[in-house]
Amino acid sequence: MINVEEREGSAEPSPERPFLSIENLFVSFNTEDGVVRAIDGVSLSLERGRTLAVVGESGSGKSVTAQAIMGLVRSMGGHVSGEIWLDGQELNGLQPEEVQALRGSEMAMIFQDPMSSLHPFYRVGDQIVEAILAHRKIGKAAARKETLEMLKHVGIPAAERRIDAYPHQLSGGMRQRVMIGMALINSPQLLIADEPTTALDVTVQAQILELISTLKEEFGTTVILITHDLGIVADVADDVAVMYGGRLVEVGQTSTIYEAPEMPYTLGLLSSIPRMDRELPKRLDPIRGNPPSPINLPPGCVFQPRCNYSDRVANGACLSVRPELLPTAPGHLVRCHLPAEERQQISADVRRILAGAQR
Amino acid sequence: MAGYIVRRTLGMVVLLVLLTLAVFVLFSLMPADPARLTCGKACSPQIIENNRHRLELDIPPVEQYQRFVSGIFFGRTYLADTKRPLECEAPCLGYSFLRNQEVLDLITKAAPVTFWLAIGGFVTWMTVGLVFGIVAALKRGRWQDRTVMGIALVGYSLPSFFIGLVLYFFVILFLHLLPNPQWKAGMPFKDLGGFVQTMLLPWITIATLNAAFYMRLTRNQVLEVFGEDYVRTARAKGLKERTVVVKHALRAGLTPIVTAAGLDLAYLLGGAIITENIFNLPGLGSLAIGSVIASDLPLISGITLIAATLIIVANLVVDLLYAVVDPRVRVG
Amino acid sequence: MTAAPHEILRVTDLRTYFPVRSRGLLPRVIGQVKAVDGVSLSLDSGETLGLVGESGSGKTTAARSILRLIKPTGGQIELEGVQIANLSQAALRPIRRKAQMIFQDPYNALNPRHTVGGIISAPFRIQGVEPPGGVKAAVQELMERVGLNPEHYNRYPNEFSGGQRQRIGVARAIALRPKLIVCDEPVSALDVSIQAQILNLLKDLQEEFGLAYLFVAHDLAVVRQISHRVAVMYLGHIVETATRPVMYSAPLHPYTHSLLSAVPVPDPRIQQTRERIMLQGDVPSPIDPPSGCVFRTRCFQAQERCAVEVPPLIEVVPEHKVACHFPITVDEVAARARAGKIEVPEAEEQMTGSVSGPHFVEPGPPHA
Amino acid sequence: MPRSNAWLRRALVFGTTFALVLAACGGSTTPSPTTTVTQGPGDTPAPTEEVDHSGGTIYMLTAAEEFDDIDPQRAYTGEDLAFFGATIMRSLTSFIYDPDAGVANTLQGDLATDTGTASPDATSWSFTLRDGLTWEDGSELTCEDVKYGVSRTFANDVIVNGPTYAVQYLDIPSNPITDENDPKSGFLSAYYGPYDGTGQADFDKAVSCDGKTITFKLNQPVADFNYTVTLGFSPVPDPTGHPDLEDTVEQYTLRPWSNGPYKIDEYTQGNGGHLILVRNDAWDPASDPIRKAYPDVWQVDFGIDAKVMDQRLIASEGDDAFAIQYGSIQPENLSTIFTDPETPNADFAGRATSDFDPFARYYWIDTNKVSNEKHRQAMAVALDRDAIRANLGGDYAGALGDGVIKPNLGDQYAETGMWTDLFGQAVPDTGDPEFAKQLIADSGEPMPALTWDYPQTAVRDQEAAILVASFGLAGITVTPNPIPPGQYYGIVFDDEAAHEFGWAGWGPDWPNASTVIGPLFTDKGGWNLSRVHDEDFVQGVQDALAELNHAAQAKMWQDLNKLAMERVYVIPTTFGLSQTFGGTKVQPLYQWAPYGSWPYAEMYVTP
C-alpha cells in the first residue's frame, strides 16, 4: 500500500515511519547551461515488500530519484536536500561512509546496460565477491562459495565455469542475471532496478522480469522499478508513481493507474503507446509537443504546455499556479488543477475511445 | 597466446627487413655520391673509384643488403682484397669508415645515454602527468584543475628546443645551480652525483612537453571513466571511495595511457635528438643525426634497425600488456 | 496523387557475410558471419513491410544492404526494375534519390556543424536537383510538412529535441520524393509520447506520397501500428512472413509465438494472467550458428530433424510463409501452455566472448 | 665524419655566416694588454718580461662531433693541422707564431733544423732532423719514421682522404695497372704503400735517409716543397724500429703516437665526447723551440650546441673562463660582442677576434658550357655584388673579392683590377647591366640559358633571388638550382649533373698561392669546377711552381690570378671574415694566419 504525503504537510514525522519514506526531495545539478532541477520536491513512501514502478519519460527525474536514494547523486556533483528514511534511518544527513556501508547491503541497485555496468577487467565472480567482502567479514573462499550459489540461483547455467568468466564472454541476459545476483548477494531490503530490461531483447526481457519477480517473493525484497514501458509496469508493479518534469504527477495502485487514471499526462501516455491487446487504431493519439527543459520549467503546472485540457481551468491557473499532489481517492493522488469530476469524466472519455479503437 | 607472439614476431621480422631495405633503396637513390663526398680536396676519378670500392658501393645494392644481413648473423670482412682486411664479428651491424669504428660499438656506447635519458624523462613525466592529471580530474572545475590545465597548456605549446635552451641558460648559465652537463662513460654507476647533475635538466626538458600531454590525457581519461556505468556500479556495491577510484576507475582509465606511454618511450629510446644536442649528450639521437648528415650508410642502417626494433618490440609489449590488463582483448 | 500500387522493391536471396579476421600484423580471414543469409522480400508502393527481430537477427544489415550502404555478398536487389546489387557507387548515385533512409539515433545521424537548412537541402545538392521556387523555399516547405517551424532554418541540430531531430531526418529523407524509405528503428530512441508523433507523421507521409516503407524494428507493438505486412528474422533468416493481422493473430512459427507472448501488455489484468512462452537463453552467436534450423536450440517444437535439415520458407497459405518443420497454431500453443507442456530445450551454454576475443567483425573498427 | 666532408661543411657554413672587411686585413685585432708572450721575430716584447705561464687546463668548445682526422697522413683540415701540429704532431717545417700575417706565414724549421735545402732545379729537397727528437714512449724519432710516415700516403686503399702531395710530387712511376676491374687499379702510384709493399724499391729511391738527413726526389720542380712538407709528411713510428708503437692503420686516426709536448689521454667522438691531451713527458723542450706547452691539459668538448656555446663563453664562468671557441660566433651575438667588425666591445676586449678566414668565395663558371669569354665577362659585370655581400651580413661577412688569392696570403696578393679596368671600364659594386648587355652584343652570339647550382640555405635562397634579379636587368635568364648542402659537391663535380655555374669557396692548403691557382684552374688538385683546360695557363702554373725565388714566384701567381679573372674562370664575390672568441682567462687570443686558427702553441691560462 502506498502512502504519499504532501510535501507542505509532511513536517511531522509519524512515530511509525513506513519502510521507505522520501520527504521533500530536491536534487539539482549545476551545468554550463544553468541549474538543472532534476527533482523538484518529491515526497513518497513505500511499504515493505511492495513493488513500486516509477514511470516517466527521459528527463522526468525517475532515475535521479533512484540515485538519490542510493546516495549516488553527490558523487555525480548534484545537490540533494530533503529527507530519505529507509527502515527508520535517515540517509541524506548521514556521512558519506555511513551511506556507503548501507549501499549494497541494505539497498542495492541494478542498471539499464549490464555490459557497461560490469567492470570489463574483472571476472564476474570476483566482482560479486568484492560486493560481499565490502560488507561482511568472511573469508574469500566462503564468499566465492556464496557467489557460486547466487549465480546458480539467478539461473546461470554452468555457473561453476561462468563464475570465472569476464563480462564480455557472457550474453546480455546472462550479464543482467549477474547484476541481479550481485545486487541481491547481501540480501538487501530494498532493490532498485533502473530500466533493467531496456537494453535486452524482448524474449530475454521476459526472462529477467520473471526472475526479479521470483526473487522478490523469495527474499521479501522491496522493489523500486524504474521504467518507461507501461507494459512492464502492468506486468510487475503493485504501485505506480508517474513522474513528469521532476515532480510526481500521479500516484496510485497499478490497477487504479491503468483503470482510473486522472492526470491528463497519464492519460496521454496510455493513448500514445501502440499496443497489441487492442484493436488497431488508425492513428495514435500522442501528447503534443515536447517534454520541458529541466533548466527552464514552466512556473505553473509543468504539463500545462502539452495539456489539452488546461483551458478548462479558470483564470489560467495552470499557467501560474503550481498544482499540488492531492488525494482523489484513498491511495490515489493526482497533481492537477482540474476539478475531480471533470478529470474523471475526461478519463472515462479517453478510455472509451481507446477501447473502441477506430478513430 | 604463444602462437600470437610467434605470429607477431614473424611480422616484426618482415617489417624490419622491409625497413632496412627501404633505407638501402633510399640511400642508393640519393643524388650525391658518397664515394665523392668522402673524397675531399685531393680528389681524382681514381680516388673516387677507390673509395667506392672501399665503401663497398661498387657492388649491386641487393648484394650490399645481403652482406648487411649476413653480417648480422655471421659477421663480415671489409677490405677483403687488401693486405689489411677488417674483421667485423657477428653480430655485425656494419663498419663506419667515417668514424673508423664498428657500428655496433658506436651504438653500444650511445645506447646507455639514451636509455637513461629516456627512462628518467619517462618516469618524471609519467609521475607528474599522472599525479597532476588525476588531481585535476578529482578536483574538476576547481582551482587545482584550472591550475593544472593552465600549466599543461603552457607546457604543451613550448617547443622542446626552447624549453631546453631556456633551462640551460637560466639554471646553468645565470643561476649556476648546476655545472655544464658532461656525460662520462660508466654513468650512472661510477658517478651518481655527476649523473644526476648532468641528466636533471634533460629529464625536465623531455618531461615538460610529455607531462603536459599526459596531464591532459590522464585528466580526460579519468573524467571519462568516472562517468562509466561500472564505476557507478562499484559505488552502488558500497565499496569504499578509495577502492572505487583506484581499483575500478583508475585501472580502466589509465590502461589506454599505458599504450601511449609505451610507444612514446620507444620513440624516445630511438633518440631524443634535440635534447641530446642541447645538453651535449652522446646518445643515439645525435649519433643518428650525425650519420645522416655524413651520409654514413652503415651507421644509418644500424641505427634504423635498432630504433625500429625498439619501437616494434615496444609495440608488441604494449599490446601484450594491454591484453594482460584488459581481458576483452585477450587472446587464446 | 497516390498511384495504383506497384512493386517498388524486390529482393531475392540476399546474402551479406562479414569476414572474421584474426588479429595481428597480417590478419587472415578465419571465418564468416552470415549476418544475412538468403533473405527474399518484396514491397509495393504505399506499403509498409515491418522487419522484426532481436539483436543479431540481421535485420539492420539486411536494410543497409538493400540500400547498398553495405555491399551484399550475393543475391539480387531490384529497385523499380533496376538491378542495383552489383552497381558501382557512381552508378548508384542517380538511383539513390529513389531510396532514402531514416536512422535510429537522431543525435548522431545529423552533422552538428551544419544548419538544419543545410542538412535537409543536402540531397538537392548531392543529386544536383534545383527544386522549383528554389532550395530554401523547398526546404522550408518540407520543414513545415514534418512539423518543424520553418523559421528555424538556420538553427543547428543541438538546439532541437530528440523528436524534432527525427523530424529533421524525415524531412531530409523525403526531400527528393523517394519511392522507398528504409526506416531503421526510427522511434526506438524516442520517448513514448514522441514515438507516437513520429509514427503518425510517417503514416501521413505514406498516404500523401505513396511511399513504400521498409520498417526495421524490434518493438512488435510499434511494427503492428505501422505495417501492412510483417517479416520476422532470426539469425540472418526470415522465419515467417505474413500480413499484419495474420502475423499478430495467427502466427505459425514457434519463434513468432514466443516473441508475441514475451511482449508485456500495458494492462495489468491481462498481463498478470496471460500464459507466456519463456524462451531460454539468448540468441546464439552468428559466427557459429546452430546447424539445421537456426532457432532449434531455443524452440519448444524442436525435434531431431531440425538439427539436420534447414527448413525452407514455404507459403502455407497465400501471403503467409513460414520456415519451420513443425509450425504450430495459436490454439495449439494455448492448449499446450495450459497443459504445461511447453518445454524448451535447455540452451547449451556457450560463451559468446569469441566475437570480441581475437577477432573482429567487419565493418566495425578493430578492438583497441 | 671524414675530414673532407667536414671541411666542406665548414666551408659552407662560413659562406653563410660571415663577412669580411677589407680594412681588417692583416690581423688588425688589437692584442690584449695581457698579451706579453707573443713570440716571433717581428714582435716587440722582450724575453725578460716573460713569466711562467705553465699549468691549468685550456678547454676548447666545438659544435663538431669529432676531429676530421688526426692521422698524420689523413689530417687535412686547417684548424686540425694547427691544433695537432701545436700539440702532438710535429712536421719537418712549420710556421711562426705571430699576430701579424706576414710574419706568421713565414716558414721555420721544426723537426728539421732549418727550412730545407733544394737542388738548383728544385727537383730534390733535403731536410736534417734535430737532435733529441722522441716518441711518447721515449724512443728516438728517426729519419726512417719520417720516411715511413710519407710512405703511408701511398696506401690509399686504407689511408684515405688525406693530402696526396707525396704521390703527386715524389718521383715514382704511376700505377701500371689501368684495368678498372683489377682492384689494384685503385692505387694512385706504382708504389702501393708499406702494407702491401709492392713498388717499395721505387719509393726507397725517391725518399732516402742518410743518418738524420732525409732527401726527397721529385718528378717536377717544386719551389715551395718545404711548405708542402707541412701537409701529410709527418712521421709515424716505423714498425721495424718501434715494435711497441703499433700502426693501427684504419684506426690510427683515433690514437696516433705523439712526438710533441702532449699526448692523447682520452678520445671519444660524438656529441658529449672529449679529446683530452695530457703532457708527454718524453718530449724534450730543448728539441723544440716552437711550442711553449704552457697548460698541463687540453680538453676538447664535442657537440656543444652553438647557441649554448656562445652563451657559455659570454658568461665565461668557472671552467668556461679557460675555454676557447672552435667555430664562430652566432650572427645574433655579434652585436653583443663587437662594436663594429674591427672592434670588440669593452667587455670582450682582448678575447674576441674578427679576421680573415682562409676562404675566398666565388661562383665557378663551367668554361665548356659557357665557352664565350665575353659571356662570362657579362655575367661578372651584371652581378650585384654589393647586394650579395649585404645579404651575407654586410661588414661582418667580409669584403668584396677581386680574385681567388686573398690578401692574407701576404705578398702573393695584388689587386687584379677586375672591377676597375680589366674589362676596359670600371664596374660598380652594384653591377652594370648596360655594360653587360654590350658585352653580350660584342660576343656575337646569344647568351646561353643559365642555371645556378647552390647548396641550399635560407641565406643562399636570398642570394639566388639577388642573382636572378641583377642578371635579369642585363637580360640574362638564370634558373636557381638549390641542392641539399650535404650533397652539393657530390653533384657539381659530376660533369653531367652540374650546370653552367655555381657557388663555391676555397682556401689554400698552405700560405702559398700554388695551392690556390693550381687546384682551381688546372686538373691537378681536383677543384677545377670551372673545367679550365687552357694550355697557356697550365704552362704558367708549371713555371710558377718551379720558381725558387719567392718574390718572383709571388709575382707570377699575381699575374695568373689576374689572367684567370680577365678570362672570368670564376666570379669572385667575397673575401670571408670570421669572428670568434674565448674566455676571460686564456691568452693570447688572435687568429693565427697560416690556418686561420688560434695560436695554440703559445696559449696559456691566466690566474
Side-chain angles (χ1 to χ4, degrees), chain D residues 110-127:
Chain D
D110 188 346
L111 288 173
T113 53
D114 56 25
T115 57
T117 311
S119 64
D121 62 353
T123 58
S124 169
W125 279 84
S126 352
F127 301 86

Side-chain angles (χ1 to χ4, degrees), chain B residues 38 41 46 50 101 280 282, chain D residues 156 161 187 269 271-272 302 509:
Chain B
T38 56
K41 266 170 103 179
Q46 201 181 4
N50 188 48
Q101 288 177 66
N280 198 22
Chain D
N156 66 303
N161 299 343
F187 286 104
Q269 296 163 308
N271 209 13
F302 296 111
D509 280 0

Side-chain angles (χ1 to χ4, degrees), chain B residues 269-309:
Chain B
L269 287 172
I273 293 169
I274 293 168
T275 308
E276 285 178 10
N277 252 333
I278 291 174
F279 293 99
N280 198 22
L281 299 172
L284 286 175
S286 46
L287 193 63
I289 205 82
S291 70
V292 170
I293 289 174
S295 302
D296 189 347
L297 175 63
L299 196 47
I300 295 173
S301 312
I303 292 177
T304 306
L305 188 70
I306 296 294
T309 309

Side-chain angles (χ1 to χ4, degrees), chain A residues 103-119:
Chain A
R103 275 201 299 266
S105 59
E106 281 295 299
M107 51 189 182
M109 189 161 176
I110 57 179
F111 302 97
Q112 173 170 343
D113 186 347
M115 180 71 230
S116 63
S117 297
L118 286 167
H119 200 294

Side-chain angles (χ1 to χ4, degrees), chain A residues 56-59 62 157-158 161-162 165 168-175 177 198 200-210 228-237 254-255 258-259 265 268-291 306, chain C residues 53-56 59 161-164 190-197 199-201 203-204 207 218-222 224-227 244 248 255 258-272 274 276-283 298 346-354 356-357:
Chain A
E57 296 179 272
S58 50
K62 56 188 194 302
R161 218 147 48 81
R162 293 260 158 73
H168 71 270
Q169 294 171 313
L170 302 181
S171 67
M174 219 64 95
R175 285 181 209 131
R177 286 173 196 268
T198 306
L200 304 176
D201 281 323
V202 64
T203 55
V204 181
Q205 165 176 294
Q207 299 165 18
I208 296 296
L209 291 176
E210 178 99 353
H228 68 278
D229 187 328
L230 292 171
I232 293 173
V233 176
D235 195 9
V236 299
T254 306
S255 55
Y258 280 85
E259 286 158 31
Y265 174 64
L269 275 186
L270 285 168
S271 20
S272 291
I273 48 172
R275 48 201 293 175
M276 307 204 306
D277 57 329
R278 300 273 168 82
E279 250 183 77
L280 193 68
K282 247 189 119 152
R283 287 174 62 83
L284 294 167
D285 186 15
I287 307 167
R288 61 193 161 89
N290 294 293
R306 305 176 73 188
Chain C
E54 297 179 280
S55 50
K59 58 188 189 301
S161 68
Q164 288 170 319
L190 304 175
D191 278 320
V192 282
S193 63
I194 310 302
Q195 214 174 54
Q197 295 172 2
L199 287 175
N200 283 347
L201 174 65
K203 256 198 151 162
D204 294 346
E207 280 175 16
H218 71 281
D219 187 326
L220 290 153
V222 165
R224 175 171 179 252
Q225 182 64 34
I226 195 156
S227 303
R244 178 194 63 219
Y248 283 84
Y255 178 60
S258 312
L259 271 184
L260 289 169
S261 96
V263 179
V265 168
D267 184 331
R269 274 185 307 191
I270 302 172
Q271 178 61 19
Q272 292 179 1
R274 70 197 261 252
R276 277 182 288 175
I277 306 163
M278 198 67 73
L279 290 184
Q280 295 293 308
D282 298 83
V283 181
R298 303 170 79 200
E346 181 77 10
E348 187 35 49
E349 81 286 334
Q350 44 163 13
M351 301 269 190
T352 58
S354 56
S356 47

